[in-house]
Amino acid sequence: MEEPDGPLSRELPSSFAGNRDFYEENRWQKFGRKLKEEPLIPLGCAATCWALLSAAKSIRSGNSYRAQQMFRMRLYAQAFTIAAMIAGSLYYNKDRILRKQYDDLMRERKAQEKRNAWIKELEARDREEKDWREKIKAVTEKREQEARDRREREEELVREGGPLTRAAKEIKRKIQQE
């Protein structure tokens, strides 16, 4: 069977060649990959959380000057996180496009494999059904032939007069021979 032209026959994007772990990854692998790709975002989130917690502690202790510093620090940390997100988005945009193409290609390939498996299953069921029909047809024909043979024997017996008539004819013949 010939491979169809189209998205299923294309090569995988070259930036993913040789990295099989990147193809089929679970949630934790994806989380780890994202951390490696953009390590500044979790750093900015951690800094924001630290500044917010420090501000809360300062408020509880009554140190308003320190609380104000921590709220400003939180603002700077949030700005840093947003800047890291934008920079990472611009930097990894090409890889994301390639990843999306690869995901679409894999989705199409899996869908094609699923369709092919379903077609094979249907063909197997069709063969089984044809075999059963042939067996049923053979059994039916055999029973019909047996019924025809039985009818023919019965008709022959009726033409000959049946078993009693035959027995009577034999007795009559024996009597005549004596």
Side-chain angles (χ1 to χ4, degrees), residues 14-177:
S14 62
S15 65
F16 297 116
N19 188 358
R20 295 305 285 172
D21 292 334
F22 194 69
Y23 295 145
E24 302 282 333
E25 61 186 3
N26 62 29
R27 290 180 184 182
W28 289 109
Q29 290 171 333
K30 184 176 182 179
F31 182 72
R33 179 176 55 84
K34 292 287 186 177
L35 282 177
K36 288 176 187 175
E37 284 179 0
E38 300 183 41
L40 297 178
I41 293 175
L43 181 68
C45 290
T48 303
C49 291
W50 175 77
L52 191 59
L53 288 174
S54 295
K57 284 182 183 178
S58 298
I59 289 173
R60 280 192 179 182
S61 67
N63 189 350
S64 61
Y65 179 74
R66 174 93 172 135
Q68 280 296 323
Q69 282 182 327
M70 288 299 110
F71 280 127
R72 287 187 191 118
M73 182 67 75
R74 178 194 57 89
L75 183 67
Y76 299 143
Q78 284 178 327
F80 173 77
T81 304
I82 291 172
M85 288 170 54
I86 292 170
S89 176
L90 294 173
Y91 184 76
Y92 289 107
N93 190 33
K94 182 181 177 188
D95 286 342
R96 285 193 182 101
I97 290 171
L98 291 174
R99 179 66 187 197
K100 184 177 182 331
Q101 288 174 352
Y102 171 76
D103 288 343
D104 291 344
L105 215 111
M106 288 306 292
R107 200 174 305 113
E108 289 175 22
R109 188 169 285 167
K110 284 181 181 180
Q112 184 65 35
E113 288 173 3
K114 190 175 182 180
R115 276 191 296 270
N116 290 343
W118 180 242
I119 289 172
K120 285 180 183 178
E121 177 68 22
L122 289 177
E123 288 172 351
R125 288 181 184 184
D126 191 40
R127 279 192 300 269
E128 286 177 3
E129 186 177 338
K130 286 178 182 178
D131 291 344
W132 275 107
R133 284 183 182 175
E134 288 175 8
K135 288 178 183 177
I136 290 171
K137 185 178 178 183
V139 168
T140 304
E141 288 175 357
K142 182 179 177 183
R143 287 183 181 168
E144 288 175 354
Q145 184 63 37
E146 289 173 355
R148 279 193 295 263
D149 292 344
R150 199 177 319 115
R151 274 194 300 262
E152 287 175 6
R153 280 187 298 219
E154 289 171 357
E155 288 173 4
E156 186 178 314
L157 286 174
V158 168
R159 272 184 268 142
E160 291 177 1
L164 293 176
T165 308
R166 235 183 313 156
K169 285 181 183 178
E170 283 181 32
I171 293 173
K172 189 176 183 184
R173 196 173 6 153
K174 284 182 184 178
I175 294 174
Q176 287 175 355
Q177 288 174 355

